[in-house]
Amino acid sequence: MSSTPRPALFITENYPPDRGGMAQSCDRIVRALRQRGLAIDVAHLSARYSRAGVEAQNGGKLWRVPLEEDVEHSLNLAWNAMAGARPSQVVAFGRVAPLLAAPVFAAWWRVPLIVLLRGNDFDAGVFSLRRGWVLREALARATRVCVVSRDAQRKVAALFPEQRVHYIPNGIDADEFRLHDFDREKARQWREREVAAGRRVIGLFGHLKQKKGGTLLLDALRRAGVAGRFRLLVVGDVDEAMSAALAEVSGIAPCTKLSFIDRYELLPWYAACDVVAIPSHYDGMPNVALEAAALGVPLLAATAGGLADLLPEANYPLRFSPGDIGQCVQAVAQVAWLDDSTLMRLGAELRERVLRDFHHIDETARYAELLRETALENVSSPIILHDAPMGARSV
């Protein structure tokens, strides 16, 4: 009689009801793997929980793990609660606490460790005096490492040449994430009310913090000689530096600011944009990029991280090297003066690329194959415990 396969365990700080790109990605991957018949448990480490708990879900369990300011205490309590679980593999889904806990739990369970690097986990972590050791130890101990960009694959492989580093880009279901007539109508009405004739709309979406390069883009707007050509649409969380920079360019490009909204509520706002800007200094593979491109909205973007994999190398005038203000100025000017048909063609070509190279079914298939392969790998070696002779005492 065959036994029920043990589930893989994802350890993450980003999972619903959390919001944001990483929570969306973790939820997408877990749900898709469960739909393919793989058992997946999730340990969600979060300050939102006041007490530990576990609940059954379709295709696995959800462990609710309180993450207090005393992280060491939180992870010890997590181990006490979960020690009997013994999954088939442990998967660290980015961020510091999962990268800290997963290698230890995997070693104690004597099961394979898979590290999924997301967002800026690698770019920021590798240079961090405080948490760099957490990243490096997790990468050194991993059975496999997965990254969402070719750039990250090259960088990790250069530092850990013996490590097996897999490039598995984020995916999107373009049939599910698509515009409806009421989305287009809402976009049309907003533009009619808010956007002066002759202006193009540049959209910025998400957590607009320092690494996202928003102030670089606004500096380029000042230098490009395009006053009166743009309106900015900013949807998400904006830090103080970005808020100040938006105020400084209000005479050149007035701004509509909206607070963070859920993914499907973004559809009419994407439709309201002529381009979506992602001027990141470093990045993973932003969901915003795939979502906008899947809708046929062209990107004004730096070739940071996975954006370089998405944007075609030739004949795409709206890309620029990360941090290069001169190239960014040229790209902004192109958005201002390209004709409508060219912008539409650039958006259509990006959509074709997303459908071909960033399909959610391919993403799920790659993770499923990786889990099946590593489940068969034996990472255990005999543990030999040496006891001191009876009666021996230290001097």
Side-chain angles (χ1 to χ4, degrees), residues 290-312:
L290 294 182
E291 289 169 357
L295 299 176
V297 182
L299 300 178
L300 167 63
T303 54
L307 292 165
D309 303 318
L310 173 61
L311 299 177

Side-chain angles (χ1 to χ4, degrees), residues 8-27:
L9 174 68
F10 277 60
I11 302 180
T12 181
E13 289 185 59
N14 300 95
Y15 194 70
D18 294 344
R19 303 164 84 180
M22 284 186 63
Q24 291 175 13
S25 293
C26 191
D27 181 47

Side-chain angles (χ1 to χ4, degrees), residues 7 11-12 71 91 96 107 109 114 118 145 223 257 263 300 318 368:
I11 302 180
T12 181
V71 175
V91 181
V96 177
W109 277 316
I114 300 172
R118 321 298 300 181
V145 175
R223 300 187 189 193
K257 287 194 287 186
R263 181 176 182 238
L300 167 63
L318 309 184

Side-chain angles (χ1 to χ4, degrees), residues 149-326:
S149 72
R150 295 286 189 192
D151 179 61
Q153 185 182 37
R154 288 188 292 269
K155 289 176 177 176
V156 174
L159 287 174
F160 297 87
E162 302 302 319
Q163 187 55 271
R164 288 173 286 185
V165 186
H166 297 258
Y167 166 58
I168 304 181
N170 283 347
I172 187 169
D173 184 348
D175 292 329
E176 178 189 45
F177 194 80
R178 60 189 178 90
L179 294 172
H180 297 85
D181 289 342
F182 56 82
D183 296 315
R184 296 185 180 90
E185 178 60 19
K186 184 174 180 179
R188 186 195 66 77
Q189 292 177 4
W190 177 80
R191 288 188 64 119
E192 193 172 80
R193 288 193 314 269
E194 303 291 337
V195 184
R199 289 185 185 263
R200 284 183 167 156
V201 177
I202 298 178
L204 295 105
F205 295 80
H207 298 285
L208 303 178
K209 45 197 173 184
Q210 186 176 11
K211 75 152 187 166
K212 290 295 185 180
T215 55
L216 175 84
L217 176 70
L218 299 183
D219 189 20
L221 278 172
R222 282 194 296 269
R223 300 187 189 193
V226 292
R229 292 291 296 158
F230 291 118
R231 183 173 190 89
L232 298 174
L233 172 61
V234 177
V235 183
D237 300 327
V238 180
D239 65 15
E240 291 183 8
M242 185 67 177
S243 292
L246 285 169
E248 290 176 5
V249 301
S250 59
I252 299 172
C255 178
T256 297
K257 287 194 287 186
L258 303 174
S259 59
F260 192 94
I261 58 178
D262 289 329
R263 181 176 182 238
Y264 288 99
E265 295 174 350
L266 289 174
L267 284 163
W269 300 110
Y270 280 129
C273 297
D274 293 290
V275 298
V276 167
I278 310 178
S280 303
H281 292 289
Y282 48 94
D283 218 320
M285 181 66 254
N287 288 333
V288 167
L290 294 182
E291 289 169 357
L295 299 176
V297 182
L299 300 178
L300 167 63
T303 54
L307 292 165
D309 303 318
L310 173 61
L311 299 177
E313 294 183 6
N315 302 320
Y316 191 82
L318 309 184
R319 57 179 256 162
F320 56 94
S321 300
D324 191 317
I325 185 64

Side-chain angles (χ1 to χ4, degrees), residues 94-127:
R95 299 291 291 272
V96 177
L99 290 174
L100 180 61
V104 178
F105 288 10
W108 288 346
W109 277 316
R110 303 179 74 190
V111 300
L113 167 67
I114 300 172
V115 171
L116 307 190
L117 294 179
R118 321 298 300 181
N120 67 338
D121 288 330
F122 180 78
D123 298 286
V126 74
F127 293 116

